Amino acid sequence: MKTLINRGSPKRVFPFVGIGVYKMCQEAVLFTWQMNSLMLCLYINFKKTEQGWREILVDVNPQLSNELRFVLAPFATLSSETLIKTGEERMHVEVSPDAGLIIETVTDRISSHGGALLVADYGHDGIKGDTFRGFRGHKLHDVLKEPGTADLTADVDFSYLQSVTAGKVKCLGPITQQEFLRNMCIDVRLQVLLNNANNPSTYQQLINAYDMLMNPEKMGERFKFFAMVPHSRLVAPEKNHKKLKPMSPPVAGFSVIEMGR
């Protein structure tokens, strides 16, 4: 298993997972990818105007030379003419061509050689507009002030990623973190850990951590999970085949696991 991760955050991934950080997906030799925060790269923002779609740019404020400001491109750019899908109804759209290239490359590898992709990130299914924001010290921070001192982020548009696959693979989700972890039996795991907690402090830490992960007002509905697998992964065996192959198990996290009694 190879894991594509944010180059600045290698310690976020569990140590028992084989980790590789790649400049290009073609370098990976095993075709199972996990991505967290990789889709935040180089978003281009667009706004719909009476003259059509215009790219949002960053400019130096002419009145205050030490400040930056957002401005609209005075005319259509190559990006605004090629990256906005036909019939787009939103007034503000964010597109990451780099994320699209990554997904296109991974799609080709999965469709040709098998494997899977799992993406976990803040995101939506093509319904949000302006999500670009900054954080410093766990608080919202103006993205144009003191550049380089804050983390900049934007929500992933999973509908865009799905459109890039062009139907070559089967896409699952996006579903909320709450639903994904519940499908992965987090409640059972929590109960086991609570039963083995040897002091009140550990017990409360487990409760608090579970609440952070599952509470809809915290991470439960903000984080989304999205997967790509080959179409053959979900094809049911032919009933008339002489040697009936066993049906493939459901994709973990994207369907409810029936626990045996």
Side-chain angles (χ1 to χ4, degrees), residues 101-114:
L101 289 174
I102 293 171
I103 291 298
E104 186 176 20
T105 299
V106 175
T107 294
D108 290 340
R109 298 300 292 272
I110 292 176
S111 61
S112 300
H113 304 285

Side-chain angles (χ1 to χ4, degrees), residues 57-71 144:
L57 307 174
V58 177
D59 184 29
V60 176
N61 191 329
Q63 277 75 44
L64 298 169
S65 59
N66 62 338
E67 287 191 4
L68 300 175
R69 64 173 184 170
F70 287 119
V71 296
L144 296 181

Side-chain angles (χ1 to χ4, degrees), residues 1 6 20-21 65 77 84-85 87 165 167 171 183 202 207 218 222 253:
M1 178 186 294
N6 188 321
V21 182
S65 59
T77 60
I84 304 297
K85 65 182 180 181
T165 68
C171 297
N183 290 342
T202 300
I207 294 295
K218 297 179 180 179
R222 295 179 184 177

Side-chain angles (χ1 to χ4, degrees), residues 52-255:
W53 286 99
R54 293 293 183 265
E55 188 173 343
I56 300 175
L57 307 174
V58 177
D59 184 29
V60 176
N61 191 329
Q63 277 75 44
L64 298 169
S65 59
N66 62 338
E67 287 191 4
L68 300 175
R69 64 173 184 170
F70 287 119
V71 296
L72 291 178
F75 44 78
T77 60
L78 179 62
S79 296
S80 65
E81 291 181 333
T82 58
L83 295 177
I84 304 297
K85 65 182 180 181
T86 303
E88 177 60 67
E89 297 182 353
R90 288 174 289 174
M91 298 299 295
H92 192 121
V93 173
E94 298 165 331
V95 180
S96 174
D98 284 332
L101 289 174
I102 293 171
I103 291 298
E104 186 176 20
T105 299
V106 175
T107 294
D108 290 340
R109 298 300 292 272
I110 292 176
S111 61
S112 300
H113 304 285
L117 167 74
L118 178 65
V119 179
D121 222 323
Y122 296 100
H124 59 91
D125 199 16
I127 60 174
K128 291 185 178 181
D130 183 8
T131 68
F132 185 41
R133 58 201 184 276
F135 286 95
R136 190 170 72 176
H138 303 287
K139 295 181 180 180
L140 284 170
H141 180 81
D142 190 327
V143 296
L144 296 181
K145 288 187 176 180
E146 301 175 291
T149 65
D151 292 327
L152 305 182
T153 185
D155 288 1
V156 176
D157 185 347
F158 289 107
S159 68
Y160 169 67
L161 302 187
Q162 186 168 350
S163 69
V164 171
T165 68
K168 295 180 181 179
V169 296
K170 176 64 177 179
C171 297
L172 304 172
I175 62 175
T176 65
Q177 175 169 284
Q178 181 188 69
E179 182 179 357
F180 181 87
L181 293 180
R182 185 150 286 146
N183 290 342
M184 294 292 286
C185 302
I186 188 176
D187 296 296
V188 176
R189 179 60 177 161
L190 174 66
Q191 194 58 54
V192 171
L193 293 174
L194 291 177
N195 291 339
N196 289 278
N198 53 18
N199 59 72
S201 177
T202 300
Y203 190 97
Q204 190 57 49
Q205 287 177 9
L206 290 168
I207 294 295
N208 293 342
Y210 176 88
D211 181 64
M212 175 62 70
L213 291 172
M214 299 293 284
N215 190 326
E217 299 300 321
K218 297 179 180 179
M219 297 295 293
E221 291 189 356
R222 295 179 184 177
F223 232 53
K224 304 293 192 304
F225 282 74
F226 172 83
M228 289 163 37
V229 297
H231 285 290
S232 58
R233 173 65 176 77
L234 300 177
V235 174
E238 297 179 9
K239 295 182 178 180
N240 297 328
H241 198 278
K242 292 182 179 180
K243 292 184 178 181
L244 189 62
K245 296 181 180 180
M247 182 174 292
S248 300
V251 178
F254 291 88
S255 57

Side-chain angles (χ1 to χ4, degrees), residues 3-16:
T3 303
L4 296 178
I5 59 176
N6 188 321
R7 295 186 67 89
S9 307
K11 295 182 180 179
R12 292 183 183 178
V13 181
F14 294 110
F16 55 78

Side-chain angles (χ1 to χ4, degrees), residues 3-62:
T3 303
L4 296 178
I5 59 176
N6 188 321
R7 295 186 67 89
S9 307
K11 295 182 180 179
R12 292 183 183 178
V13 181
F14 294 110
F16 55 78
V17 178
I19 300 175
V21 182
Y22 300 97
K23 294 181 180 177
M24 291 296 291
C25 295
Q26 290 93 330
E27 297 176 26
V29 292
L30 297 179
F31 310 113
T32 301
W33 291 274
Q34 296 171 319
M35 296 184 183
N36 173 255
S37 298
L38 189 68
M39 295 300 158
L40 306 181
C41 50
L42 297 178
Y43 269 85
I44 302 177
N45 287 267
F46 303 96
K47 185 174 182 179
K48 184 183 290 186
T49 71
E50 294 181 356
Q51 291 75 37
W53 286 99
R54 293 293 183 265
E55 188 173 343
I56 300 175
L57 307 174
V58 177
D59 184 29
V60 176
N61 191 329

